[in-house]
Amino acid sequence: MKAVQYREIGAAPEVVTVPEPTPGPGQVLLRVAAAGVCHSDIALMSWSAESFPYQLPLTLGHEGAGTVAALGEGVTGVEEGDVVAVYGPQGCGRCVKCAQGKENYCLRAAELGILPPGLGAPGAMAEFLLVNDARFLVPLNGLDPVTTVPLTDAGLTPYHAIKRSLPKLVPGTTAVVIGAGGLGHVAIQLLRALTPSRVVAVDVSEEKLALARSVGAHETVLSDEGAADRVRRLTGGLGAEGVFDFAGVQPTVTLAGAVAAVEADVAIVGIGGGALPVGFNSTAFDVAVTAPYWGSRSELAEVFDLASAGAVEVRVETYGIDEAPVAYERLHAGKINGRAVILPNG
Ligand code: NAD
Ligand code: ZN
Ligand code: ZN
């Protein structure tokens, strides 16, 4: 079968032919309909050989959806032909975090060598994907795999970040979304669906700001040295109660801190390596700064419910598997509006 692999440090991803996997006991084979292209893949392909934590070659793709093609021995709960999405941040299933459904924060994943598909384990950018347990498959309930697959990360991750700030995002408040890309353009829709807050989107690109407005941002601000002042002016000088940074580079994290109101939540979601000092004279009183990772399985089901209700809709650009390297180039160049999705089987 064809697969999109990162094979050599610093090289571009390649489309290669690899053996088709067969499901062992407890495993499920998925015929992949769609696999999303995330900026985290660009980040991992920029790491040096010394800091690269996974084995090469690595089949990419940590957003996957498709049809159950075969069941390994003993698998129950899913059937051949079921249309499902893959829950990526897989855990041990037994520790206290996993027992709460928060497999993204599994306490034993590292020790047990459990890695998400596409982020260490073979990913979804291939004709077939082996899934280690049926519990990682979330039913799509009639949703289209192509437009829904990005919700497994670009929807789930902002949902997880936003959900816990909901008590602060009451009428009269402002939520700032920095970076209106794959995750950010879904975040804007989630904020509109779940809160009465005014939503301000910040990006370096006018096209992304236009996308932000078209998915519900009330205001848009170009990301430059004047951005913090403009966001503060939009909030009567008080700042925003929720700030969600989907770039996470030093300038945006600094901006996030500068526009955070008293008692605001700041979530650094982008993995650009920026850090925000917290303390007196650094941030406003009682600002909470977090760096959340992905989301829980129950939150993914909630995101799918929002999609079924028509509250979120991912803007997708589709590519055949042979075009996957082009999709990565375009993402790297900031040219994808919304999310690129690879269709490995057609
Ligand atoms: P993307 O490329 O689709 O979107 C990033 C957006 O940020 C783009 O619109 C870009 O123009 C904008 N941007 C870049 N620099 C900016 C700046 N200085 N000011 C304002 N906007 C700026 O990427 P994506 O796939 O949406 O991923 C976003 C980030 O989230 C990446 O860093 C990715 O690695 C990370 N991520 C984190 C998690 C997590 O669990 N924490 C999960 C998925 C992705
Ligand atoms: Zn991702
Ligand atoms: Zn666990």
Side-chain angles (χ1 to χ4, degrees), residues 36-41 62-63 119 152-154 157 183 294 339:
V37 183
C38 180
H39 212 113
S40 297
D41 296 341
H62 55 272
E63 293 179 345
L119 296 169
T152 61
D153 176 21
T157 302
L183 274 67
W294 225 327
R339 198 69 151 176

Side-chain angles (χ1 to χ4, degrees), residues 24 30 38 122 155 157 185 199 235 258:
L30 207 64
C38 180
T157 302
H185 92 290
V199 178
T235 56

Side-chain angles (χ1 to χ4, degrees), residues 13 23 72 107 120 145 163-164 168 181 193 227 259 263-264 345-346:
L107 302 174
K163 188 181 174 185
R164 58 188 173 182
K168 294 186 179 179
V259 301
E263 287 197 310
N345 281 289

Side-chain angles (χ1 to χ4, degrees), residues 192-262:
R192 290 304 311 272
L194 300 170
T195 80
S197 298
R198 190 154 61 129
V199 178
V200 178
V202 182
D203 205 293
V204 285
S205 142
E206 287 291 356
E207 287 82 51
K208 305 294 171 77
L209 293 180
L211 171 66
R213 285 189 291 275
S214 76
V215 296
H218 297 96
E219 309 278 355
T220 53
V221 168
L222 199 63
S223 187
D224 58 20
E225 318 79 65
D229 282 346
R230 288 201 290 285
V231 173
R232 285 212 153 258
R233 270 206 301 281
L234 287 170
T235 56
L238 298 174
E241 286 73 11
V243 186
F244 304 93
D245 182 353
F246 298 102
V249 292
Q250 195 54 53
T252 59
V253 170
T254 301
L255 170 67
V259 301
V262 170

Side-chain angles (χ1 to χ4, degrees), residues 2 4 13 15 37 125 318-330 340-343 346:
K2 284 186 179 179
V4 182
V15 183
V37 183
M125 255 175 233
T318 56
Y319 295 83
I321 193 163
D322 293 323
E323 275 72 58
V326 179
Y328 277 109
E329 268 172 43
R330 283 175 51 76
V341 172
I342 310 302
L343 312 179

